[in-house]
Amino acid sequence: MKPNLASRIPWLPYPRMVTWLSDPRRKPGRAARVVAGTGCLDAADVLLGQWPGLSLTSGTPNSGQGVSLVLDPQMGEDRHRWTWTGRRVEIQAGSPRALARAARQVVVLDRFAPRGGPGVRVEDAPAYPHRGVSLDITRGRVPRTDALIRDLRRLAGWGVNYAQLYIEHVFQFASQPWIGRGCDPLSVRDVLEIDRAAGEAGLSLAPCQATLGHMQPILSQRPARHLAEDLASNTYQAPGFSLPKDRRAWTLTPAREESYDFLSGLVGDLAPLFASPWFHAACDEAYDLGKGQSYALARRLGLGRLFARHVRRVRDLASRHGKRTAIWADMIRHHPAALRHLPPDVILFDWAYHHHHDFDSVADLLGAGFETWVCPGTSSWCSLFPRIHEAFANIQGFAGAGHRHGAAGLVNTDWGDGGHPNLFAGSWPSFAFGAEQAWNPDAPVETFLERFVRDTCAAEDPRSVARALSDLGDLVHLERGGFYQSLWFAIFFAPVGHRCLRLDPDLAWVAERGEIGKRKVAVDADLGRAALDSLEGIRRGFSTMPGGKDDPFHLRDSWVFAADTMAHAARKLMTLGPGGRDTRAARRTLARESRDLWSRFTDLWDRDNRLSERKIVEARYRRARESLGM
């Protein structure tokens, strides 16, 4: 098979080793049999679904045609191989799950090239033992249990075998029942149901619970304010130090023994509900550690040792429940002295989200003797649509470097800063890309989007949809100093007169045909008009996708919505930006669009999520709309 055609076969993930043979392959005839034994039923059902004329039997395979399924545990749980020449398919795998995965690869090839072609031999096993995702189910948006289970099953189908739920305050903690009130938190039954479904799908599901920084939703409440490093009042002992008002009550203080009594309850409530052997204690972005109540302690121990001491205390709490602790590694990057004092069994999750990160720096953590997992991101947060080219470069960079240096896992992270104004459906291309890179860092990147669309979207014109995704990723990628992530996101939510609507031309990160670079950009009405022109073609590309029941993940409606939010931001720039025409009629149009977009947003939100704290996003829409004076 020609290389450019072979790379378009919609295998997800793409197999590690594919060899095209000189003997042609053909479909097994109607008299052929699927020969199976113990543990082979799922694989047999996959093949019989594609070739219903075949019969399922046991015994000795027919040497001329048919399908042979062989389970060989000595191969290893995730390894499989298969050969298809003539009318005969032979599949071997180390587990029933791997056998079914191989059968799906056979079916994908047959659907893509139904008239046959050269024979093929595939040998496949994942590059990373642990292939995961981190799902932010807090900070405004709590998914419905059935939707979360559906999403985990989809991820497992791409070879993902680890998932963690970033929780913060959205659980009904028995030890502190006041924590989750008013945010539609998960119940014990919810967690047990999700955990059971994850296990059945082959996923190890772990909690990721904030235990140091990012504890504002808990520490800002009256019963726990005294446990905040700043006493929930921006009160610090370090001379000249302060945090912005929106970061009050950010970090749990390690200066009080009561903090660990408090954490003991949270960990004890949560950890035993998950079958996973891991407990992720977060411990990231503790900006004010050692600046408030623990100031004297930090001066005596040093920040690195103080941080390590806290991790050890949390690790001891998790170990009571038979869990191994993982933490984010950013605080270690800021305070490398911590490495000498950390418990040696702690797993370090090394994260960064830019395309130009020094990915090989993961070797520093591995060289210190710690098990390390690399953690790229979907680049979906603070953006009207994920900046997929940033995400792909970030994921690919981490996948390659982590594999070279011996990282044990890859966990693709997705966040919802600011209340989750970013819809979850936008993250699916990056999730699929992360799953593929964790399995096979050498998979063909240039055909990924087309393969993803063929695998996931059932579109009439997969190439047009793939092109629309890439073009929207280009368009949304506008990053300038002083604005986090996408500048279009800032424009969309900006009130009249905001500084993002009156910028002078300056250098910005942009993407063109998937390539990221810097160039001078004038953020003005002409930029808005150019964006609108591009969005017309993007919307046409998405229109070829099915909707309704044929789109269970709501991709078409969510992606069209993302394109329309970009169009609103573009018209806003054409009205309120440099060179724009600011008229009452134009403002009325913007206000009407904003109301319509909010209505569509709530519909898309309600399809998969609890009401939770949607009011956070609603307030952002309302502030921007009311500033128009309409």
Side-chain angles (χ1 to χ4, degrees), residues 430-454:
S430 297
F431 277 135
F433 188 75
E436 176 164 274
Q437 286 289 304
W439 189 280
N440 179 7
D442 297 318
V445 175
E446 67 281 358
T447 61
F448 167 76
L449 279 174
E450 183 182 334
R451 289 186 290 111
F452 165 76
V453 171
R454 290 182 184 277

Side-chain angles (χ1 to χ4, degrees), residues 134-301:
S134 181
L135 305 178
D136 185 351
I137 64 165
T138 183
R139 299 199 281 186
R141 185 182 71 202
V142 182
R144 290 201 323 265
T145 299
D146 61 326
L148 184 52
I149 289 172
R150 176 205 65 200
D151 295 344
L152 291 172
R153 287 172 176 160
R154 169 72 278 189
L155 291 162
W158 292 328
V160 171
N161 64 358
Y162 172 84
Q164 63 183 36
L165 305 180
Y166 180 61
I167 292 171
E168 285 188 2
H169 63 302
V170 295
F171 176 69
Q172 293 175 358
F173 291 98
S175 63
Q176 306 290 343
W178 50 268
I179 286 178
R181 289 174 183 160
C183 63
D184 279 347
L186 297 180
S187 67
V188 169
R189 174 173 287 277
D190 291 328
V191 172
L192 291 174
E193 186 178 345
I194 296 164
D195 186 67
R196 180 180 63 185
E200 291 171 351
L203 283 161
S204 180
L205 184 70
C208 179
Q209 175 60 46
T211 60
L212 186 61
H214 282 280
M215 291 194 66
Q216 186 183 52
I218 296 174
L219 299 178
S220 61
Q221 299 189 57
R222 188 177 299 278
R225 289 174 185 168
H226 64 292
L227 299 180
E229 181 71 358
D230 68 342
L231 295 170
S233 62
N234 205 20
T235 300
Y236 293 105
Q237 297 177 30
F241 182 85
S242 67
L243 285 179
K245 290 182 179 179
D246 62 358
R247 294 278 170 88
R248 286 182 178 176
W250 185 259
T251 299
L252 182 76
T253 183
R256 290 177 181 256
E257 186 61 27
E258 187 183 348
S259 293
Y260 297 101
D261 295 336
F262 185 80
L263 287 180
S264 178
L266 302 192
V267 175
D269 292 340
L270 199 56
L273 302 179
F274 293 81
S276 172
W278 296 293
F279 177 84
H280 199 300
C283 294
D284 58 315
E285 296 184 329
Y287 304 117
D288 54 346
L289 177 66
K291 307 299 184 184
Q293 295 194 66
S294 65
Y295 178 65
L297 201 57
R299 285 176 62 84
R300 179 165 60 86
L301 298 176

